[in-house]
Amino acid sequence: MMKISYTRIASPLGTLLLAGDDSGLRHIMFASETQSPDQAWRHDAAPLTETIRQLQAYFAGERENFDLPLAPEGTPFQMEVWQRLCDIPYGQTISYGELARRIGNPKASRAVGLANGSNPIPIVIPCHRVIGSNGKLTGYGGGLPIKEKLLALERHQLRLLPLG
């Protein structure tokens, strides 16, 4: 088993906890979530340098797509949903029902919503781009104000400058 490294970074959305190993990025956690790293993880920012660089560029409005190795863990259904999330273009949104149709199961919008909510790598796997069928913002692990900021950033209505 590979050792997972983690670090915390200041971001315009609050503190983010990043964790990954040689396989890739495994977690991004918001300050509003439990941010206690697993006791087996080691504090080491070096393996996450590229993730940090790309996140800073994204928040500055200089990057629309991430090019990082990802290693989320989930069920085959969750993995399919998370892969489809990556297909949603920057600045665009779709509904949970549309996402269910894209995975070939149009009646699975609730299951898609649960998988979306279990996304361990938000921002990079853009679960914030999924909204209710009525166009309203719905749940987000970091809270609706963060989801709203991410969508505004992607509509070029807001520039989230990195802190520090």
Side-chain angles (χ1 to χ4, degrees):
M1 185 170 178
M2 290 185 237
K3 287 284 187 182
I4 294 180
S5 297
Y6 78 94
T7 193
R8 288 182 177 88
I9 63 166
S11 87
L13 306 173
T15 301
L16 299 177
L17 185 142
L18 313 176
D21 59 23
D22 290 342
S23 297
L25 182 62
R26 292 190 173 272
H27 298 279
I28 295 178
M29 296 181 208
F30 295 102
S32 60
E33 301 173 306
T34 301
Q35 275 208 358
S36 297
D38 186 296
Q39 291 184 353
W41 296 359
R42 70 173 192 246
H43 186 264
D44 183 5
L48 298 158
T49 301
E50 184 59 18
T51 299
I52 295 166
R53 188 186 69 73
Q54 289 190 29
L55 282 168
Q56 289 173 336
Y58 171 82
F59 292 135
E62 299 165 357
R63 173 175 280 278
E64 294 184 359
N65 299 298
F66 293 93
D67 183 19
L68 298 166
L70 304 178
E73 292 181 2
T75 67
F77 181 78
Q78 289 172 324
M79 299 294 276
E80 173 68 15
V81 170
W82 300 336
Q83 182 59 48
R84 294 298 177 145
L85 290 171
C86 293
D87 296 337
I88 304 169
Y90 181 91
Q92 295 184 24
T93 58
I94 65 170
S95 69
Y96 292 97
E98 175 58 25
L99 186 54
R101 283 188 286 285
R102 290 183 184 186
I103 64 165
N105 194 345
K107 295 185 181 197
S109 59
R110 285 182 189 241
V112 162
L114 289 172
N116 198 53
S118 299
N119 173 13
I121 312 174
I123 304 169
V124 174
I125 298 177
C127 53
H128 60 276
R129 295 179 188 156
V130 183
I131 60 174
S133 59
N134 59 2
K136 302 259 186 214
L137 298 187
T138 57
Y140 189 68
L144 290 181
I146 288 178
K147 183 173 188 168
E148 192 169 29
K149 284 182 181 179
L150 290 169
L151 292 173
L153 167 71
E154 293 188 6
R155 289 189 307 263
H156 302 290
Q157 294 174 334
L158 179 68
R159 189 168 174 165
L160 299 176
L161 297 175
L163 302 175

